[in-house]
Amino acid sequence: MSDYRFISSTTLDEGRVVRIMLNRPDARNAQNRGMLVELDEALRAAEADDTVRVIILGGEGPMFSSGHDLGTPVRIEEREPGPDQHLTHRTDGGTLLKTEQRMRQEWHYFFENTRRWRNLRKITIAEVHGKVYSAALMMMWSCDLIVAAEGTTFADVVGTRMGMCGVEYFAHPWEFGARKTKELLLTGDSIDAEEAHALGMVSKVWAREDLAANTEEFAKRIARTPSMTALLIKESVNQTQDNQGFHNALQACFTLHQLNHAHWGEIHGEQVARAHESDGVPNWKDAGPVLPAVKDRVVAEPQRA
């Protein structure tokens, strides 16, 4: 397959399984624009290949993904005008101003791409480990199945650390349940792989050292299902969700997300529109560890190093 800078893609099981890996381990697989574009290309290539039946999406290094890239040197380089600016910052609203620019860019690269990945014509498995926070949830939720390493934790911290009403692809109530979503967003707390399994969000929980091998065996098992049968199973479930309101809810909540950005942009008058410490949120760089949601305390005790 093609060479990529920010991901890798390999074939298994005589081409019936494709493994795609986020490959920025030094940046904790933060999702810069180049990574998102390459991932879309790799997923589309796997979708176009009639031999492929199952796609695994994982991440190299200590965690699946830390979410949106908020300012690594690579992200700044590809965003700012100059010879290394990524093409996508000059298209799809990239040359427009403020709220319109942000809404068009986020629709294409944070919302619509995730929705498109959810509807790929192949079965997809997210293989996650470490901390899966905020935009990493979106990427994971786009997959049909999720498997996790023991010790994996899940959280969306943008409410308590940035003053935002969740990430752009707002699948939270469908994955966590309505009340759990409110709790997790209002507190910024996390749940672990065991609770995620109990909620039905995660299918399998394996030891970290067994995660890759077991995921591949799981994918090969699913790849034995006739491709038409697998597609119609996926389509039946996705259409049921959509008839229950999933698609319309996502669209509505994306608009609310943009309203939230516009609120902070109007208050602070800046392009990066989020809450400041003066608004009652901590500096996101110094906010401390994400704590687990526990049922018998207002807030969990911080774990000692």
Side-chain angles (χ1 to χ4, degrees), residues 12-13 16-19 53-57 123-128 143-148 197 201-206 210-225:
L12 308 164
D13 196 31
R16 287 184 288 269
V17 175
V18 169
R19 172 180 280 283
R53 295 190 175 190
V54 179
I55 302 166
I56 299 169
L57 175 59
I123 302 301
T124 53
I125 303 174
E127 176 193 280
V128 300
C143 294
D144 299 305
L145 299 167
I146 300 168
V147 298
H197 181 268
M201 187 177 84
V202 166
S203 295
K204 307 288 184 184
V205 180
W206 288 309
D210 299 326
L211 181 64
N214 284 354
T215 303
E216 290 172 11
E217 289 305 309
F218 191 40
K220 291 174 184 178
R221 178 185 177 190
I222 292 168
R224 292 196 292 270
T225 302

Side-chain angles (χ1 to χ4, degrees), residues 20 30 43 46 55 67 71 74 93 101-102 109 117 121 132 147 150 167 191 200 207 211 236 241:
I20 298 173
L43 288 169
I55 302 166
V74 168
Q101 180 195 81
R102 185 184 307 109
Y109 298 106
W117 300 338
R121 303 292 82 187
V132 184
V147 298
E150 294 172 349
V167 288
I191 62 172
L211 181 64
S236 296
Q241 274 192 309

